[in-house]
Amino acid sequence: MRTRTLGSTGPTVSALGLGLMGMSDMYGPADETESIATVHAALDAGVTLLDTGDFYGMGHNEMLLREALKGRSRDQAVISVKFGALRDPGGAWAGFDARPAAVKTFLAYSLRRLGTDHVDIYRPARLDPAVPVEDTIGAIAELVKAGYVRHIGLSEVGAETIRRAAAVHPIADLQIEYSLLSRGVEREILPTTRELGIGVTAYGVLSRGLLSGHWSPRRELGSRDFRATSPRFSGGNLRRNLELAERLRAVAAAKGVTVAQLAVAWVAGRGKDVVPLIGARRRDRLAESLAAESIELTPGDLTAIEQAVPDGAAAGGRYAPAQMHALDSES
C-alpha cells in the first residue's frame, strides 16, 4: 500500500488507516475473533495506522488491539489513541477531562492496556471547555519529551483551537469526520490545517454505513447502537440519505466499483494530506474498502459524484440534540 505523511512533522503512515471503535463500542455487538482477524488482515495488507480510544468499550478496544498485535513487530503499527471522554459503568457519557494530571494518568493506563512503552499519536478526543487547550497540549508535550508519546494530534476541534494548539507544539494531524455527507471541514478547518502543515485523518468516510452500499431501510438497530437515535438514520431522513446512496451507486456501477469504494476513494482524493480511516469490523468489508486505494477518480468521475451527492445534501444532523454536547465538534 502507498503511504502518506501526516502533516509536515508527523509520521509516515499507510494511505488508508483502520479505525477500531466499532470492534468494541457504539455499533452494537462485534465478534472479537473476527475483529482480531480483521486487524491482522489490515496489517498484512500494508495498513500501518491503527486508531483507537481509551474510552472505546471502557478500555476493551485497547486490550483488543494488544491481543491483535501479539507476535507482530511494534514498528509495524502506528498507534493513534484518543483520550479524555468519561464514561459511567453503564457506558453513558459523563463529560471530558483534559487536565494535565488527567492526561498523564490516562496515558499511563493506555500504555498498560496496549502493552507498549509509547503511543505514536496521542490526542484529546474533544475540547475540554474547563481547560485551556494550551495546558492540555503542554502536558502531552512533556510526555513527548519523556519518550512516552511520539506525536501530538487533535480531534474534532475548530480552526481557532487548532491555531492555539499548534502554537504550543507541532501538531501531526487533526482527526475529524469527513465524507460525502459531512463536508463542513472544507470551509474553515481544512484551509487552516493546510496553512499550518497539519494532516487530516478522516473518520466516518462511509457515513457510519449510509454510504456502504449495504444498508437496508428495514435494518433494525439495537439499543447499544447509537445510530438508533441518530437523525440521519431515522424516518424521512434515512429515506433521503439512502436515495443519495443509490444515486452514488449508479456512478459507482458506471466505473465498475462499489458504493463503498467510491466513497472512500473520494475522501482519499481530497488531498495527499488526508488519510481516510476504514471502520471495518469484518475482513470482507475491510477488503472491499481497501480496494479503493488503487482507484483513480477522473474529473468526469468527480463531476458525476458531485451531481449525485451535492455538498449539504445529507438529511439530518450527525447526532441527536442530546448527544451534541458530548459528541459533536466545536466547529
Side-chain angles (χ1 to χ4, degrees), residues 173-290:
D173 70 312
L174 168 72
Q175 189 173 121
I176 198 161
E177 186 166 351
Y178 191 16
S179 73
L180 278 164
L181 296 184
S182 298
R183 295 177 61 176
V185 64
E186 295 175 346
R187 289 182 268 283
E188 292 185 4
I189 292 175
L190 199 53
T192 300
T193 58
R194 286 174 171 164
E195 175 192 339
L196 298 176
I198 297 171
V200 170
T201 45
Y203 74 87
V205 294
L206 297 183
S207 296
R208 309 183 194 283
L210 285 172
L211 297 179
S212 67
H214 304 290
W215 196 274
S216 167
R218 295 176 298 278
R219 180 173 176 177
E220 295 185 4
L221 297 171
S223 60
R224 298 188 69 84
D225 191 322
F226 96 98
R227 292 172 295 190
T229 59
S230 170
R232 288 189 178 175
F233 288 82
S234 63
N237 289 342
L238 178 61
R239 289 191 293 273
R240 167 59 177 165
N241 292 328
L242 290 181
E243 287 173 4
L244 296 173
E246 288 306 307
R247 288 162 59 175
L248 194 63
R249 190 187 302 277
V251 180
K255 194 169 179 64
V257 301
T258 69
V259 178
Q261 290 165 350
L262 192 66
V264 174
W266 182 87
V267 176
R270 304 314 283 174
K272 297 296 184 184
D273 54 343
V274 178
V275 176
L277 294 173
I278 306 303
R281 300 190 291 174
R282 292 169 20 196
R283 284 168 287 180
D284 57 341
R285 295 287 194 259
L286 173 71
E288 178 184 11
S289 290
L290 291 185

Side-chain angles (χ1 to χ4, degrees), residues 52-308:
T52 184
D54 63 9
F55 51 93
Y56 291 169
M58 286 71 81
H60 174 270
N61 206 242
E62 290 178 318
M63 292 187 288
L64 178 77
L65 181 55
R66 176 178 183 164
E67 185 66 25
L69 291 177
K70 282 184 178 178
R72 302 273 179 158
S73 169
R74 174 65 180 84
D75 294 337
Q76 191 177 0
V78 176
I79 300 176
S80 167
V81 177
K82 289 183 288 299
F83 70 88
L86 305 178
R87 309 285 294 273
D88 69 18
W93 302 98
F96 294 91
D97 189 351
R99 295 170 300 140
V103 170
K104 296 175 181 180
T105 300
F106 289 144
L107 180 66
Y109 280 80
S110 284
L111 292 175
R112 179 61 61 92
R113 286 189 292 261
L114 289 165
T116 184
D117 62 357
H118 72 279
V119 165
D120 297 288
I121 311 172
Y122 201 50
R123 67 182 84 245
R126 297 291 191 276
L127 184 68
D128 183 342
V131 180
V133 70
E134 291 87 351
D135 292 355
T136 302
I137 299 304
I140 307 175
E142 292 178 9
L143 295 169
V144 171
K145 186 175 181 180
Y148 297 117
V149 172
R150 296 288 187 265
H151 303 278
I152 301 177
L154 295 170
S155 176
E156 289 283 0
V157 294
E160 180 184 354
T161 299
I162 295 169
R163 292 185 184 281
R164 289 170 56 193
V168 176
H169 188 278
I171 303 298
D173 70 312
L174 168 72
Q175 189 173 121
I176 198 161
E177 186 166 351
Y178 191 16
S179 73
L180 278 164
L181 296 184
S182 298
R183 295 177 61 176
V185 64
E186 295 175 346
R187 289 182 268 283
E188 292 185 4
I189 292 175
L190 199 53
T192 300
T193 58
R194 286 174 171 164
E195 175 192 339
L196 298 176
I198 297 171
V200 170
T201 45
Y203 74 87
V205 294
L206 297 183
S207 296
R208 309 183 194 283
L210 285 172
L211 297 179
S212 67
H214 304 290
W215 196 274
S216 167
R218 295 176 298 278
R219 180 173 176 177
E220 295 185 4
L221 297 171
S223 60
R224 298 188 69 84
D225 191 322
F226 96 98
R227 292 172 295 190
T229 59
S230 170
R232 288 189 178 175
F233 288 82
S234 63
N237 289 342
L238 178 61
R239 289 191 293 273
R240 167 59 177 165
N241 292 328
L242 290 181
E243 287 173 4
L244 296 173
E246 288 306 307
R247 288 162 59 175
L248 194 63
R249 190 187 302 277
V251 180
K255 194 169 179 64
V257 301
T258 69
V259 178
Q261 290 165 350
L262 192 66
V264 174
W266 182 87
V267 176
R270 304 314 283 174
K272 297 296 184 184
D273 54 343
V274 178
V275 176
L277 294 173
I278 306 303
R281 300 190 291 174
R282 292 169 20 196
R283 284 168 287 180
D284 57 341
R285 295 287 194 259
L286 173 71
E288 178 184 11
S289 290
L290 291 185
E293 197 260 338
S294 62
I295 296 174
E296 300 292 339
L297 298 178
T298 67
D301 294 330
L302 294 173
T303 297
I305 292 170
E306 189 71 32
Q307 291 174 344

Side-chain angles (χ1 to χ4, degrees), residues 307-328:
Q307 291 174 344
V309 188
D311 186 8
R318 294 194 295 158
Y319 303 109
Q323 297 171 316
M324 287 293 286
H325 176 71
L327 297 173
D328 208 0

